[in-house]
Amino acid sequence: MPPKSRGVTSIDVAKAAGVSQTTVSRIVNGREGVSDDIRAKVEAAIEKLGYRPNLSARSLVTSRTQTIGVVLGDPRNSYYAELLHTISGELNHAGYRTLILSGRADTTEDLARTLWETNVDGVILTTTLLSPDDEGRIVSLGVPSVTMGPGAAPASDSISPDNFEGGRIAARHLLDLGHRRIGVISGPLGAASVNDRHRGFLLEFAAAGVSFDEDLLEVADLDYTRAFDAATRLLQLPEPPTALFCHNDLVAFGALNASTALGVGVPEDVSILGFDDVAMSSWQAFDLTTVRQPILDMAHGAVELLLSRLASPEQDAAHVLLPCSLVERSTTRAL
């Protein structure tokens, strides 16, 4: 391959291939109506000359930037890294670039402005911690979007784990092991996914005829440091819980390390249950019992929904709910 030169234009490619500049443009922009022989000549010329299309110029013609905004939550949470790896790979395969943006609640107005100014073709919201107002602000931009969560905008596509059933699975597992004094370290209760997990958890308690002690609920915003502190407070109570349900695996890692720091055995003294089943959960150092949400299926599904929306903007909104399941490892045991 020769060095990629910014000086090479579509006119140069057209001359080398013996075709018109319009034909080169049709091929570069993926349009039909060009014979295989001519397409092969143009592609050979592109390869030989090291031509790269001017994306800015292309966007003026097509009204597309071939860019998708992906709004992430806490980058320290490997859940988002796993999502992004799959999403960006599939978008790249489909010919799109990925613009990664922070989904912190305090930057939502800046986020909406950035999405508008960069003229992205679509948005995938991976974070579940945006409030309905924040999510609505982004959706109101009119940019095709997919929410990876319950979704506050019925007219927008969404794909989500069944958080409500996931909460029930968590409670059922710990109750079946004989635990009754169970602590919960949750995310912000204003987030729909967090609320659904907690509602499912409480419903399973009620179905078993067990009362949940609200004093054992700690809100940690799905943050490792806050989870470490929350677990420390719970485990230092005069009557500490015998089990902890953590609303994601990152929180569970904080609880595990707090237990170690306090000399509290897991699962001998306290059982710890996470939610997500990120890859690290299966590592020997953690071996975390957790409620699995289908992370890769969600990532694949989000890309499929968005590409379908871009191809058919008028189609009805799709709302996909995927099942959760229990993954038993060594951090929980029967009393």
Side-chain angles (χ1 to χ4, degrees), residues 107-130:
T107 64
T108 307
E109 289 189 15
D110 291 338
L111 172 60
R113 186 181 304 112
T114 300
L115 290 170
W116 177 257
E117 291 175 349
T118 53
N119 195 29
V120 295
D121 294 337
V123 182
I124 296 177
L125 299 168
T126 70
T127 177
T128 60
L129 299 185
L130 293 177

Side-chain angles (χ1 to χ4, degrees), residues 183-261:
V184 174
I185 306 178
S186 82
L189 295 180
S193 59
V194 172
N195 286 346
D196 287 347
R197 288 176 197 181
H198 194 54
R199 285 194 307 109
F201 186 84
L202 294 180
L203 181 64
E204 195 64 24
F205 261 66
V210 179
S211 297
F212 175 69
D213 186 347
E214 293 290 340
D215 290 337
L216 299 182
L217 172 63
E218 289 273 352
V219 178
D221 289 348
L222 304 182
D223 173 79
Y224 172 87
T225 301
R226 294 191 63 180
F228 183 97
D229 294 340
T232 299
R233 286 192 294 272
L234 288 170
L235 295 173
Q236 288 182 321
L237 290 173
E239 187 182 353
T242 63
L244 295 175
F245 169 43
C246 302
H247 271 211
N248 73 5
D249 290 345
L250 183 65
V251 168
F253 298 152
L256 285 168
N257 286 338
S259 301
T260 299

Side-chain angles (χ1 to χ4, degrees), residues 42-65:
V42 171
E43 289 176 348
I46 288 172
E47 181 75 12
K48 179 180 179 180
L49 297 175
Y51 171 66
R52 291 296 178 267
N54 185 319
L55 294 176
S56 297
R58 182 196 294 182
S59 70
L60 292 175
V61 176
T62 65
S63 297
R64 290 283 185 90
T65 61

Side-chain angles (χ1 to χ4, degrees), residues 2-307:
K4 298 181 180 68
S5 171
R6 290 186 178 273
V8 177
T9 68
S10 59
I11 295 175
D12 299 322
V13 173
K15 288 180 178 178
V19 300
S20 69
Q21 185 183 9
T22 301
T23 298
V24 174
S25 178
R26 293 182 67 87
I27 292 171
V28 168
N29 289 303
R31 295 175 185 168
E32 302 297 328
V34 180
S35 71
D36 291 342
D37 287 345
I38 291 178
R39 185 179 297 277
K41 288 180 181 179
V42 171
E43 289 176 348
I46 288 172
E47 181 75 12
K48 179 180 179 180
L49 297 175
Y51 171 66
R52 291 296 178 267
N54 185 319
L55 294 176
S56 297
R58 182 196 294 182
S59 70
L60 292 175
V61 176
T62 65
S63 297
R64 290 283 185 90
T65 61
Q66 296 302 115
T67 302
I68 301 298
V70 179
V71 181
L72 294 180
D74 188 345
R76 295 168 297 181
N77 186 348
S78 63
Y79 166 78
Y80 292 110
E82 291 180 29
L83 284 178
L84 180 62
H85 177 75
T86 299
I87 289 172
S88 61
E90 294 206 0
L91 288 175
N92 181 66
H93 182 71
Y96 288 89
R97 297 175 296 171
T98 303
L99 176 65
I100 303 170
L101 298 159
S102 169
R104 295 201 320 269
D106 61 341
T107 64
T108 307
E109 289 189 15
D110 291 338
L111 172 60
R113 186 181 304 112
T114 300
L115 290 170
W116 177 257
E117 291 175 349
T118 53
N119 195 29
V120 295
D121 294 337
V123 182
I124 296 177
L125 299 168
T126 70
T127 177
T128 60
L129 299 185
L130 293 177
S131 71
D133 288 343
D134 290 335
E135 185 182 328
R137 184 181 294 117
I138 294 170
V139 172
S140 69
L141 295 174
V143 179
S145 63
V146 174
T147 301
M148 298 186 68
S156 179
D157 297 309
S158 68
I159 184 167
S160 174
D162 191 340
N163 288 295
F164 181 78
E165 182 59 26
R168 296 196 68 172
I169 289 170
R172 190 179 308 132
H173 174 62
L174 296 176
L175 290 170
D176 286 348
L177 292 176
H179 297 279
R180 294 297 181 266
R181 189 165 173 77
I182 301 173
V184 174
I185 306 178
S186 82
L189 295 180
S193 59
V194 172
N195 286 346
D196 287 347
R197 288 176 197 181
H198 194 54
R199 285 194 307 109
F201 186 84
L202 294 180
L203 181 64
E204 195 64 24
F205 261 66
V210 179
S211 297
F212 175 69
D213 186 347
E214 293 290 340
D215 290 337
L216 299 182
L217 172 63
E218 289 273 352
V219 178
D221 289 348
L222 304 182
D223 173 79
Y224 172 87
T225 301
R226 294 191 63 180
F228 183 97
D229 294 340
T232 299
R233 286 192 294 272
L234 288 170
L235 295 173
Q236 288 182 321
L237 290 173
E239 187 182 353
T242 63
L244 295 175
F245 169 43
C246 302
H247 271 211
N248 73 5
D249 290 345
L250 183 65
V251 168
F253 298 152
L256 285 168
N257 286 338
S259 301
T260 299
L262 294 171
V264 175
V266 179
E268 296 81 14
D269 301 315
V270 64
S271 287
I272 294 180
L273 173 65
F275 199 111
D276 283 345
D277 194 32
V278 297
M280 288 173 60
S281 297
S282 65
W283 293 3
Q284 188 174 2
F286 300 112
D287 202 35
L288 178 70
T289 298
T290 187
V291 177
R292 172 183 290 160
Q293 59 169 310
I295 297 174
L296 295 184
D297 289 345
M298 288 174 59
H300 289 302
V303 173
E304 288 180 2
L305 285 173
L306 186 58
L307 295 181

